[in-house]
Amino acid sequence: MTAELSPIDRAKYAAAVRAVEFVKDGMKVGLGTGSTAAWMVRRLGEMVRETGLDITGVATSERTAELARAQGIRVVPLDEAGWLDITIDGADEFDGELNLIKGGGGALLREKIVATASDRMVVIADAAKEVARLGAFPLPVEVIPFGWTATRTLIEELLGSLDVLGRTISLRMNGEAPFVTDQGNWILDLHLGRIGNARQTSLVLNQVPGVVENGLFIDVCDVVVIGRGDGRVEVRDINTGDVERARVEFAEAGNAFADLGD
Ligand code: 5RP
């Protein structure tokens, strides 16, 4: 079955398989959103069903909650779980300091709340997500629909004072209508090209009335697990500086590929 997967999916799967090794019995686990995170949720589900792993999940989106429940994982709201042991999530870009751009899947707000309510955030990504400097991926900014054009104008003005290459802003669409987040908000994608100072950009964006949150995750991620299509994985811990290299055997994929309905 794995032979039918694209190299990028194999890379995502490899990262997910290594990352779930951080999850232990009794843990409260933040479950990310996106195609890489979906591999992780399927793998955790497999462990719950087959080895009796006892975990409580907190989902970062409605679609992840649905997938996790379908996999047999107990899912509760963040307020019921309280503080989490670990969150495992994907990313659109990560840099050498493990700062991230997230929100390609539109779940950045819940993702940031869940990740920052965790002892540890582990990012899972294929190697193509690593960048020297953030910004090639359009930066998602969640805004409330009321007065969104005024919010966009304020952001445009603000970008003039920031160290960024591009200043184009687009409203994310879902067909003919704006894309609506799980919180009922909209997303502006900022085509910045290159973000000179990600920390400053994040702080300044969140000062604009109408902005709920932006997709820059600064000092949130602790560990990145980078997967490659041939099964190689690299685990980098930003706190200890440790780097571990291993290989995931796709033959061990088990049932993870058997239920790819989504
Ligand atoms: C969703 C996200 C995702 O983690 C990010 O878009 C990566 O997605 P994928 O794993 O599908 O490449 O931030 O809001």
Side-chain angles (χ1 to χ4, degrees):
M1 188 77 183
T2 49
E4 296 163 23
L5 293 175
S6 68
I8 205 88
D9 274 325
R10 293 166 74 94
K12 291 176 179 187
Y13 175 76
V17 166
R18 173 61 187 88
V20 298
E21 289 179 25
F22 290 110
V23 178
K24 306 294 178 211
D25 233 21
M27 279 191 170
K28 291 186 268 188
V29 183
L31 305 170
T33 295
S35 56
T36 321
W39 287 118
M40 175 271 300
V41 172
R42 288 187 199 101
R43 182 66 171 189
L44 280 179
E46 205 175 43
M47 291 158 70
V48 166
R49 296 190 306 274
E50 294 178 6
T51 70
L53 177 72
D54 180 22
I55 55 168
T56 301
V58 170
T60 54
S61 63
E62 298 300 328
R63 59 185 186 273
T64 293
E66 198 180 322
L67 175 63
R69 288 197 177 102
Q71 291 290 320
I73 300 171
R74 178 172 57 247
V75 178
V76 303
L78 178 59
D79 291 318
E80 188 179 322
W83 200 257
L84 307 182
D85 297 287
I86 189 169
T87 285
I88 306 177
D89 200 350
D92 298 300
E93 283 185 352
F94 66 92
D95 68 12
E97 295 176 336
L98 303 197
N99 292 321
L100 320 170
I101 286 183
K102 283 185 55 54
L108 66 108
L109 177 57
R110 291 192 188 183
E111 288 173 336
K112 199 180 272 195
I113 294 171
V114 170
T116 54
S118 307
D119 282 343
R120 201 173 197 202
M121 183 198 195
V122 175
V123 159
I124 45 178
D126 56 273
K129 303 279 183 67
E130 181 166 17
V131 295
R133 198 167 277 279
L134 300 173
F137 191 91
L139 175 64
V141 176
E142 182 155 343
V143 299
I144 62 166
F146 178 85
W148 75 273
T149 55
T151 304
R152 182 183 60 188
T153 301
L154 287 168
I155 294 174
E156 269 162 2
E157 282 175 10
L158 198 133
L159 290 179
S161 65
L162 291 173
D163 179 12
V164 293
L165 270 186
R167 304 211 156 81
T168 309
I169 300 177
S170 54
L171 177 65
R172 191 177 299 183
M173 303 296 287
N174 183 11
E176 297 294 302
F179 173 90
V180 181
T181 71
D182 282 344
Q183 297 305 125
N185 296 316
W186 292 356
I187 297 227
L188 297 177
D189 287 307
L190 278 48
H191 302 261
L192 306 178
R194 174 187 174 279
I195 302 173
N197 187 333
R199 186 181 305 274
Q200 180 197 36
T201 302
S202 176
L203 288 173
V204 167
L205 281 172
N206 282 8
Q207 298 303 311
V208 177
V211 168
V212 183
E213 191 50 85
N214 72 82
L216 284 164
F217 284 48
I218 310 294
D219 295 338
V220 177
C221 174
D222 299 286
V223 174
V224 65
V225 182
I226 305 162
R228 294 179 195 277
D230 61 3
R232 280 180 295 151
V233 286
E234 185 177 315
V235 183
R236 287 187 213 156
D237 186 320
I238 194 71
N239 302 313
T240 63
D242 290 346
V243 178
E244 175 210 301
R245 292 185 180 84
R247 187 180 284 272
V248 166
E249 296 302 330
F250 292 113
E252 292 170 10
N255 296 326
F257 300 107
D259 51 5
L260 289 177
D262 50 5

